[in-house]
Amino acid sequence: MYVIILGAGKIGYSIAEILISNQHEVAVIDSNKSKCEYIDNTLGSISVLGDQSLSNSLLKAGITRADLFIATTKNDSENMLSCQLAKDYYNAKFTLSITHSKEISRLLETININYTINVNQHITNELISKIKLLGININTKN
Amino acid sequence: MSQINMMSKVSIIGCGNSGSKIAINFANIGYQIDIIDINYKNLMKLPQNLISEGYLNPMVGNAMNILELKNLIDPDCNTCIILTGNDSTNALISQIFKNEFNISKIICKINDQITNELYSNLGFITINQNDLFNKKLLDLFESN
C-alpha cells in the first residue's frame, strides 16, 4: 500500500516507522527541513519538504496514487483540509486524521474522513484507566 | 449615515487587513457587523464611532472552537465572511459554519487554487486573492 503521512512529529514518525517495517511504501510530508532530514537519515529517503500550499505538498508526495492518507499535525485545520483534498480532490482511497478536540472530531467524521482520532481524549482515557488500576475510584460519567 | 440595515446581520471572522477594511466599508453603508478575532489587538484598530453607533460589534474569540463560536454568533446572522490569513483556518471555520449553524451564505477567502476549486465545489462561496489580482491586471492591460 502507498501511504502518505502529513506531519513528521512523534506520531507521524512512529507510524511511518511501523508501516515501513511492514513493507508498505511511505512518504512523510513536513515543512520543517531538519525533521525531513532526520527522517531521510533514519528511515530512508521518504520525506517530502512541504511548502506553503497544502495541495502542492500533497501533489509532490504523489497523492494521486495514494491508498491511505494520514494527517498527524498539531493543527486541526491543516489536518482537516489535507484530508479533504486527499479524498475529495485527489481521490485517495482512505483518510485518517488526528484531532485535538471532541467537537472537531465529530465535525470531521461528517465530511468524508474515514476515521478521526481525538488525541487528547485517548490520553485522558488512558490516564483514567491507569488511575483505576492504582485502586483509586473515580467517576467518569461525564 | 444610512439607517441600520436590520435585514442583513453579517459576521466577519478575522480582523486583519482585509477583515477590518471590509467590516468598516459594510458598516459605513448601514450593515450591522459582528467581527471576531482571536487577538484583541487586531480589533483595536476599528473606528470607535462605528462601534458606539452600533454598526460594528467587535468580539474576541477563537472561531475554530465550536462551543466558543456558538456563544459568539448571533442567531439572526445570515451571512458569514471568513477572512483570516490562513487557508486551512478559513476552510475549517467555513466547514463549522456549514455543519453547525443555519447560515445561508458562507463566503471564505481561499488563496490556494486547488483548495479554492474544492471549496467552491463543496458549496462555499470562495474568493481567491490571486484571481482578483489577475483579473484587475488583465482589465488594466485591455483598457490601454
Side-chain angles (χ1 to χ4, degrees):
Chain A
M1 261 217 305
Y2 185 40
V3 188
I4 296 179
I5 299 164
L6 181 73
K10 291 196 173 73
I11 298 175
Y13 185 91
S14 344
I15 194 72
E17 199 175 21
I18 292 167
L19 287 166
I20 286 170
S21 69
N22 281 275
Q23 270 76 50
H24 290 291
E25 189 189 355
V26 177
V28 182
I29 306 169
D30 202 289
S31 47
N32 182 319
K33 210 173 172 183
S34 60
K35 277 187 181 162
C36 283
E37 278 164 7
Y38 181 71
I39 287 217
D40 287 343
N41 291 336
T42 51
L43 300 180
S45 300
I46 57 160
S47 81
V48 174
L49 184 63
D51 57 31
Q52 274 204 326
S53 149
L54 258 183
S55 59
N56 246 353
S57 312
L58 293 176
L59 264 183
K60 263 208 284 191
I63 190 71
T64 49
R65 62 179 189 89
D67 301 295
L68 171 62
F69 176 78
I70 309 176
T72 71
T73 79
K74 287 198 178 99
N75 184 330
D76 282 346
S77 65
E78 228 168 82
N79 289 342
M80 179 204 72
L81 182 57
S82 59
C83 282
Q84 276 187 316
L85 284 165
K87 186 106 177 191
D88 296 335
Y89 197 90
Y90 294 115
N91 299 317
K93 252 177 242 148
F94 304 111
T95 47
L96 298 178
S97 175
I98 69 163
T99 70
H100 302 82
S101 101
K102 198 164 66 183
E103 291 76 31
I104 301 284
S105 264
R106 198 164 41 78
L107 176 84
L108 261 52
E109 273 165 7
T110 66
I111 58 162
N112 231 350
I113 294 171
N114 291 108
Y115 293 106
T116 63
I117 299 112
N118 178 353
V119 181
N120 296 334
Q121 191 62 50
H122 270 268
I123 296 172
T124 311
N125 290 347
E126 198 66 12
L127 279 171
I128 289 167
S129 75
K130 296 299 181 282
I131 291 172
K132 283 179 177 167
L133 282 180
L134 295 173
I136 300 162
N137 266 329
I138 47 170
N139 191 348
T140 54
K141 266 196 185 127
N142 47 359
Chain B
M1 194 175 288
S2 54
Q3 278 215 315
I4 288 184
N5 187 340
M6 297 304 285
M7 294 302 288
S8 355
K9 200 96 201 342
V10 180
S11 292
I12 295 179
I13 314 292
C15 191
N17 289 332
S18 29
S20 59
K21 205 162 195 177
I22 288 164
I24 292 166
N25 287 344
F26 272 55
N28 271 326
I29 55 170
Y31 286 91
Q32 245 187 305
I33 307 287
D34 285 342
I35 180 159
I36 299 168
D37 199 288
I38 197 163
N39 186 345
Y40 80 96
K41 279 184 189 154
N42 287 336
L43 297 162
M44 304 273 274
K45 60 189 166 203
L46 296 169
Q48 207 53 51
N49 65 316
L50 287 174
I51 297 172
S52 52
E53 285 165 22
Y55 290 97
L56 278 183
N57 175 27
M59 292 184 282
V60 179
N62 177 3
M64 289 202 281
N65 181 323
I66 299 178
L67 300 178
E68 212 175 312
L69 197 59
K70 282 196 169 155
N71 284 327
L72 293 174
I73 294 297
D74 191 310
D76 295 330
C77 167
N78 51 25
T79 304
C80 186
I81 310 173
I82 301 141
L83 294 166
T84 83
N86 182 298
D87 273 4
S88 67
T89 305
N90 291 348
L92 177 60
I93 297 170
S94 305
Q95 201 67 64
I96 291 173
F97 274 113
K98 186 179 173 186
N99 290 38
E100 306 278 332
F101 293 82
N102 186 21
I103 287 174
S104 47
K105 251 188 214 154
I106 304 169
I107 304 163
C108 55
K109 184 171 94 172
I110 307 255
N111 288 335
D112 179 66
Q113 197 72 47
I114 305 268
T115 307
N116 192 289
E117 209 177 298
L118 172 71
Y119 263 66
S120 57
N121 289 340
L122 290 174
F124 297 99
I125 304 167
T126 58
I127 297 171
N128 183 338
Q129 241 170 11
N130 302 333
D131 277 355
L132 292 179
F133 190 67
N134 279 346
K135 241 178 242 156
K136 183 91 189 167
L137 270 180
L138 274 177
D139 287 349
L140 274 174
F141 275 96
E142 278 169 4
S143 65
N144 276 338

